[in-house]
Amino acid sequence: MSSQEDVAAEPGPIAVGPSTETKASTGEVITVTIGATVPTGFEHTAAEEVKEKIGVDARISKDRGRIYFPITTDKLFQVHLLRSVDNLFVVVEEYDHYEFKESKEETLMEMQELASKLPWTNALEVWKLNGTLKKKKGYRKGAASTKVKPTSETTDAPVADPEQQELPQAASAAGSQKQAESIPDTETSTQGSEEAAPEAKVIKFRVTCNRAGDKHSFSSNEAARDFGGAVQEFFQWKADMTKFDIEVLLNIHNVEVVIGIALTEESLHRRNISHFGPTTLRSTLCYGMLRLCKPQASDIILDPMCGTGAIPLEGAIEFNSSFYVAGDNNDMAVNRTVNNICHIQKRRADKGSGSGLPIDTVQWDLCNLPIRTGSVDIIITDMPFGKRMGSRKKNWDLYPSCLREMARVCTPGSGKAVLLTQDKKCFSKAISRMGGLWRKLHTVWVNVGGLHAGVYLLKRTAAVFGQTPEDVYESRGTVNAQGDEKGDKELS
């Protein structure tokens, strides 16, 4: 562990402590704790992946959307192979029950003093090692932009500058004070400033504070500002909002405080998508949905509302023993999916991998799929919430119709469906009408762009399609996805 004397004894502005230099030269293996942000609701899925791929037990944080696990530096490269995590950081120190002072002044003063007491050495060593494991992506572009927690996990296509899109949640201490104060329960802010004429070999940094809880006497901006100022004074680093080398994280969740150093420059969740649509899912969320249905070799997996193809693309890359069919009724969505597949194929070819992806794309009518009855093993899709796509009114007609068509193409007795929707009331009503065809096994509650949504795992019953009471009721005619006034009144 480092101390203030250790760091101060090392000459020059880039000092991180002589013990760090010793470990770098000797190649000593050390054990550190890695923190990872994951899609809210899929913490257990991420913990399972860590156990499976790294062989260690992960601890799920009280603050939803984070897990922690130990790792030795010789296996550090393995953390970048995880598919269920958005961002990675190495833990400097964590406090389960941090006792904040009653007054704001005392608390902020204590945070300033804390900076010089933390065991920085191992975390900085991991940060240095991590830099050699991944390709340098260059400095972030553009001025420091205000970005509190996004209102959606999706983005409109095309994205001209994905690096700028992935700036960590940040705001200048002065510019976003008003915005941070207006959101007391969950805040994100950053301390740092643009400096002129960077000096040679001077480490640039910023501090990002993520705060959740309404019983704190201080704001995120104030914590980031004062803690960051102490870090700057302690290490003699230069504060810089955009062209930083190190991002120090100050995560505060009620009385839980975790200080860390970021290992990812941009979130890993956009890894497969180059052509974005209005409701593109995070690749990390797609991975969680796929793990939920446990794809097996030779499974036929269908996404009847593929959008940009995020789900089948993630599946074709990670679970490539199955075959994926992606379809949509919108020609622009189909084009985006094709473009995304071509982008991945080209990227693989550039890396010397000539193998193709087990995926195909079709444009079709969702309620009249050109697929043989009982021929699909798994259906996995993101259904329209009625927010950005479709409407709540249309969902009352669309959901029963598409669930019935899904039941037709799905294998009786063994077929499964994993469906994501925020329109819970409409979905529950539709499932109750399909009780003879679908049985609900499990629900994972997730946060999708600030919306509380459900991922439903369904099992196809052994009932023969067309012979259940539900089919008799529905056989009066296929419900038009556009809906009408009479149907809305009847179903509501």
Side-chain angles (χ1 to χ4, degrees):
M1 295 295 186
S2 66
S3 63
Q4 185 173 3
E5 290 75 15
D6 289 336
V7 178
E10 184 73 19
I14 61 171
V16 295
S19 58
T20 300
E21 298 302 324
T22 302
K23 286 174 182 175
S25 61
T26 61
E28 179 184 342
V29 174
I30 56 177
T31 301
V32 294
T33 299
I34 298 294
T37 59
V38 303
T40 302
F42 278 106
E43 295 89 351
H44 289 282
T45 300
E48 288 175 6
E49 187 193 11
V50 169
K51 181 66 174 178
E52 177 185 302
K53 295 184 178 178
I54 302 180
V56 297
D57 293 320
R59 169 172 53 89
I60 297 173
S61 172
K62 298 174 186 175
D63 185 10
R64 294 191 71 195
R66 286 193 180 94
I67 63 171
Y68 298 94
F69 56 92
I71 196 168
T72 53
T73 49
D74 60 327
K75 296 182 179 179
L76 183 63
F77 71 94
Q78 293 180 340
V79 303
H80 290 280
L81 303 179
L82 298 174
R83 310 298 294 182
S84 55
V85 302
D86 289 320
N87 288 286
L88 295 160
F89 59 94
V90 56
V91 174
V92 175
E93 188 65 280
E94 53 184 324
Y95 303 91
D96 291 333
H97 299 282
Y98 191 92
E99 295 182 4
F100 293 102
K101 303 295 184 182
E102 290 186 6
S103 71
K104 178 196 298 186
E105 291 73 18
E106 288 179 313
T107 300
L108 295 176
M109 181 63 68
E110 193 174 65
M111 285 188 179
Q112 293 179 37
E113 296 172 353
L114 181 64
S116 62
K117 300 175 182 177
L118 295 172
W120 295 96
T121 305
N122 286 354
L124 286 167
E125 172 65 14
V126 169
W127 169 77
K128 288 169 62 180
L129 178 61
N130 184 71
T132 66
L133 295 176
K134 58 187 178 63
K135 181 181 178 182
K136 186 68 176 174
K137 296 185 179 179
Y139 287 130
R140 293 129 182 97
K141 303 172 185 177
S145 60
T146 300
K147 186 176 179 182
V148 182
K149 288 200 172 183
T151 55
S152 174
E153 294 181 3
T154 62
T155 183
D156 291 320
V159 176
D161 188 358
E163 286 195 350
Q164 188 172 359
Q165 291 280 339
E166 290 306 322
L167 277 172
Q169 298 169 347
S172 64
S176 66
Q177 181 70 32
K178 185 179 294 184
Q179 184 179 28
E181 293 293 350
S182 67
I183 310 177
D185 289 335
T186 305
E187 297 180 292
T188 302
S189 62
T190 303
Q191 182 270 343
S193 60
E194 191 72 35
E195 299 285 344
E199 299 175 8
K201 296 184 179 179
V202 176
I203 288 182
K204 298 178 181 179
F205 85 105
R206 78 176 188 182
V207 171
T208 300
C209 179
N210 298 285
R211 184 179 71 86
D214 55 1
K215 295 182 179 180
H216 302 130
S217 60
F218 56 91
S219 70
S220 295
N221 290 313
E222 291 168 333
R225 178 194 65 207
D226 287 29
F227 182 74
V231 170
Q232 181 178 23
E233 183 179 350
F234 182 60
F235 286 108
Q236 294 300 300
W237 290 341
K238 180 177 288 187
D240 196 311
M241 274 287 294
T242 55
K243 298 180 179 180
F244 53 87
D245 303 298
I246 295 181
E247 182 177 24
V248 178
L249 304 174
L250 179 60
N251 296 326
I252 303 172
H253 179 255
N254 293 324
V255 296
E256 184 182 63
V257 176
V258 179
I259 298 96
I261 296 176
L263 299 181
T264 46
E265 292 182 357
E266 60 183 19
S267 178
L268 304 176
H269 78 261
R270 294 175 187 265
R271 54 182 172 255
N272 300 330
I273 306 300
S274 57
H275 294 72
F276 290 85
T279 57
T280 301
L281 277 186
R282 290 171 173 259
S283 294
T284 46
L285 181 56
C286 297
Y287 180 82
M289 294 172 66
L290 284 156
R291 277 190 73 102
L292 200 60
C293 63
K294 297 180 173 61
Q296 303 297 314
S298 77
D299 276 352
I300 304 298
I301 301 179
L302 172 70
D303 184 350
M305 295 176 273
C306 66
T308 57
I311 294 174
L313 258 177
E314 182 68 19
I317 294 169
E318 288 304 304
F319 304 93
N320 55 18
S321 295
S322 303
F323 184 77
Y324 299 82
V325 182
D328 205 289
N329 68 341
N330 186 296
D331 57 344
M332 292 180 64
V334 173
N335 288 336
R336 290 190 191 109
T337 300
V338 171
N339 288 332
N340 284 324
I341 293 172
C342 292
H343 171 74
I344 297 295
Q345 297 276 37
K346 183 179 184 302
R347 192 169 72 184
R348 289 161 70 96
D350 291 343
K351 292 181 178 180
S353 174
S355 59
L357 291 172
I359 185 173
D360 207 349
T361 312
V362 188
Q363 183 172 354
W364 54 33
D365 175 7
L366 168 66
C367 300
N368 188 25
L369 298 174
I371 296 177
R372 190 173 68 245
T373 299
S375 61
V376 173
D377 298 291
I378 295 172
I379 297 173
I380 178 168
T381 196
D382 172 20
M383 303 182 75
F385 289 9
K387 299 282 187 180
R388 290 192 176 191
M389 295 294 289
S391 69
R392 291 295 181 95
K393 179 180 176 182
K394 292 178 181 178
N395 283 352
W396 283 103
D397 287 335
L398 176 64
Y399 278 23
S401 182
C402 69
L403 279 171
R404 184 173 187 272
E405 184 65 357
M406 290 177 188
R408 181 186 71 79
V409 301
C410 203
T411 308
S414 62
K416 289 178 286 188
V418 177
L419 308 177
L420 168 67
T421 180
Q422 190 257 343
D423 197 347
K424 298 179 283 290
K425 181 179 178 182
C426 180
F427 185 81
S428 297
K429 181 71 173 179
I431 282 293
S432 68
R433 288 175 55 179
M434 295 290 120
L437 297 171
W438 292 111
R439 182 165 57 91
K440 187 163 65 174
L441 298 180
H442 183 58
T443 305
V444 177
W445 300 110
V446 298
N447 185 314
V448 181
L451 299 176
H452 185 253
V455 176
Y456 299 90
L457 174 61
L458 309 179
K459 177 76 177 291
R460 175 68 166 87
T461 67
V464 177
F465 182 81
Q467 297 182 10
T468 65
E470 291 79 5
D471 291 332
V472 174
Y473 175 78
E474 294 290 338
S475 63
R476 292 178 301 175
T478 302
V479 185
N480 190 318
Q482 299 299 319
D484 54 51
E485 291 291 332
K486 182 178 179 181
D488 285 331
K489 292 178 181 178
E490 178 183 313
L491 291 172
S492 60

